[in-house]
Amino acid sequence: VRVRQNGKRIASFLFTGADLDQLDKDYMSGKALVNPVQLRESLNRLRDVMFEKLRKSEETRYDRKGKDPVHQARR
């Protein structure tokens, strides 16, 4: 997962794994199927979990900076 921020956060997913090229060919030729609604819902859930974890880590980081007297003295 790669996150960029150009005014709003954008998550990009990169799928990797064994036989990925063959699976892509099977999908493109109609030999393999995907449920697009389920795929979209799963990706949205992953995105939401990822952004929630990022938000919590940023809150923790900023909270620590605000309470750290050594950090404040260095400013």
Side-chain angles (χ1 to χ4, degrees):
V1 178
R2 188 176 74 201
V3 178
R4 292 180 290 147
Q5 191 162 351
N6 297 335
K8 68 176 189 174
R9 288 183 172 165
I10 300 170
S12 301
F13 295 91
L14 174 65
F15 296 95
T16 62
D19 299 325
L20 194 58
D21 288 336
Q22 184 60 47
L23 292 170
D24 185 46
K25 288 177 188 174
D26 289 348
Y27 174 72
M28 294 301 227
S29 69
K31 293 179 185 175
L33 302 176
V34 66
N35 180 332
V37 173
Q38 185 179 16
L39 176 62
R40 183 181 63 228
E41 288 174 352
S42 296
L43 290 174
N44 286 342
R45 175 72 180 129
L46 283 171
R47 181 203 62 211
D48 293 345
V49 168
M50 180 189 64
F51 283 139
E52 180 65 20
K53 288 190 180 291
L54 282 172
R55 185 185 64 77
K56 285 182 180 180
S57 72
E58 287 174 352
E59 286 176 355
T60 301
R61 185 178 71 216
Y62 292 131
D63 188 42
R64 286 183 186 154
K65 284 182 181 179
K67 292 182 178 179
D68 183 3
V70 174
H71 174 76
Q72 291 175 356
R74 289 186 210 158
R75 289 183 183 175

